[in-house]
Amino acid sequence: MRNLLIFITKYNAFFLFLIFEITSLVIYIKYNSFQKATFINSTNKVTSEFYDRADELKGYLSLREVNDQLAKENADLRNQLRSSKFLDSVAKHVVNDTIYKQQYEYIDAKVINNSVNKRNNYLTITKGSKDGVAKGMGVITGSGVVGKVVLVGEHIAIVQSLLHKDSRFSAMLATNKEIGYLEWGDDLDPHKGLLGDVSNTAQPKIGELVVTSQLSLFPAGIPIGKVSKLNAKGAGFFLNMEVALAVDFSKLEYVYVINNKFATEQTGLEAQEKKDE
């Protein structure tokens, strides 16, 4: 308190000047209509600018919440798609009882860790066993295929990216449905893949869409990329072609984990078949 009094005493002339200046300015504006109107307009403009900036800041701070909500809504919409269901048809005399039942469920998740510049790349996502995520489930984004779940915790899961030497997914040319497999190329380019073992009777074209096949752990028709180069390597009875990947792996923020409700049953039956051979 003593220091404050000393400070005021030392600079009393300045404070008196400031008080007189403000008082004279208030009187000048209050009793002159033109200056008063100008001051009010200027104040309104400054206030409007302040509120606009405050609203922008508020909107920016709420982006994460908005994105989380949009991701959830997109997952809900994907669950309603016809491609997420299977057709259960039962013929009774001349009456066909046709019911579409849920086969695929989509679980939205946020990417919290990701790599693209290694030989074996992985993602970490914010959903785990508590949310229904299990090992072996496919992972996509709005643009296309991302990878598959390989490790699962209660709240977190690790996804083996398509950009991994061991990643291989059944894929097909969208036009003629010729099936092959999609893997990451040896040049480690995060924007390119290799579609191999496609029948040489196929007639692929540059720019043709490559999608998941019905033999993959994904629903058929999920985008993978577009043919960018023909006969990238190999020859003979099968074609190999370079594919420009649909997903930009360096910009992943939200993904969808696909729960195929028939996966366990299918795996069990196929294992039994191999055992009986």
Side-chain angles (χ1 to χ4, degrees):
M1 186 65 181
R2 180 172 175 274
N3 291 336
L4 180 60
L5 292 174
I6 293 173
F7 177 78
I8 294 175
T9 303
K10 185 176 180 180
Y11 295 99
N12 58 15
F14 171 76
F15 287 118
L16 284 173
F17 170 77
L18 195 61
I19 292 171
F20 289 142
E21 187 72 18
I22 293 173
T23 303
S24 61
L25 186 61
V26 170
I27 294 173
Y28 177 72
I29 293 172
K30 184 175 181 180
Y31 294 101
N32 290 275
S33 57
F34 176 76
Q35 284 75 14
K36 183 177 182 180
T38 303
F39 176 76
I40 292 174
N41 288 336
S42 300
T43 303
N44 288 340
K45 184 177 181 180
V46 171
T47 304
S48 176
E49 286 288 333
F50 173 77
Y51 282 128
D52 287 343
R53 297 295 174 267
D55 185 62
E56 289 178 3
L57 178 61
K58 182 179 179 182
Y60 177 78
L61 293 176
S62 64
L63 277 178
R64 174 174 292 184
E65 182 181 349
V66 171
N67 287 336
D68 289 344
Q69 181 62 30
L70 287 175
K72 185 179 184 305
E73 289 177 0
N74 285 336
D76 292 340
L77 289 173
R78 285 181 177 275
N79 286 331
Q80 298 174 33
L81 291 175
R82 182 67 61 84
S83 60
S84 298
K85 305 176 187 297
F86 79 99
L87 183 61
D88 185 10
S89 299
V90 181
K92 296 181 179 180
H93 302 291
V94 294
V95 178
N96 289 325
D97 181 15
T98 303
I99 302 173
Y100 283 94
K101 296 182 179 179
Q102 194 78 23
Q103 178 175 358
Y104 297 99
E105 288 182 341
Y106 295 82
I107 305 167
D108 62 289
K110 183 173 176 57
V111 177
I112 57 175
N113 195 16
N114 182 24
S115 66
V116 297
N117 56 0
K118 301 177 182 178
R119 185 63 185 100
N120 299 315
N121 296 288
Y122 296 90
L123 299 83
T124 305
I125 60 175
T126 58
K127 292 294 173 69
S129 58
K130 187 178 180 181
D131 307 289
V133 176
K135 182 178 179 180
M137 289 183 176
V139 180
I140 66 171
T141 185
S143 302
V145 172
V146 172
K148 67 176 181 179
V149 177
V150 291
L151 291 172
V152 182
E154 187 175 0
H155 305 287
I156 299 292
I158 303 298
V159 177
Q160 179 179 297
S161 170
L162 190 155
L163 309 181
H164 189 289
K165 69 179 181 65
D166 294 328
S167 289
R168 177 180 284 202
F169 302 111
S170 180
M172 65 183 179
L173 297 168
T175 303
N176 57 23
K177 311 301 181 185
E178 289 287 352
I179 295 177
Y181 67 86
L182 194 288
E183 62 183 0
W184 195 23
D186 295 331
D187 57 358
L188 306 187
D189 187 334
H191 303 290
K192 296 178 182 177
L194 182 69
L195 178 63
D197 283 0
V198 177
S199 171
N200 60 7
T201 59
Q203 297 179 340
K205 297 179 177 60
I206 298 296
E208 184 172 354
L209 186 64
V210 177
V211 299
T212 55
S213 78
Q214 65 274 17
L215 304 180
S216 70
L217 50 81
F218 306 92
I222 300 293
I224 295 177
K226 293 182 178 180
V227 176
S228 57
K229 183 179 179 181
L230 300 176
N231 298 320
K233 69 174 185 178
F237 295 104
F238 298 99
L239 301 177
N240 297 280
M241 58 207 76
E242 189 177 86
V243 176
L245 298 177
V247 175
D248 186 344
F249 286 84
S250 65
K251 297 180 180 179
L252 288 176
E253 291 186 65
Y254 290 87
V255 295
Y256 302 99
V257 182
I258 302 175
N259 175 19
N260 181 356
K261 291 187 172 185
F262 298 161
T264 302
E265 179 181 356
Q266 179 179 346
T267 302
L269 290 173
E270 290 175 351
Q272 184 64 42
E273 179 189 23
K274 290 181 180 179
K275 184 178 178 180
D276 294 340
E277 288 179 352

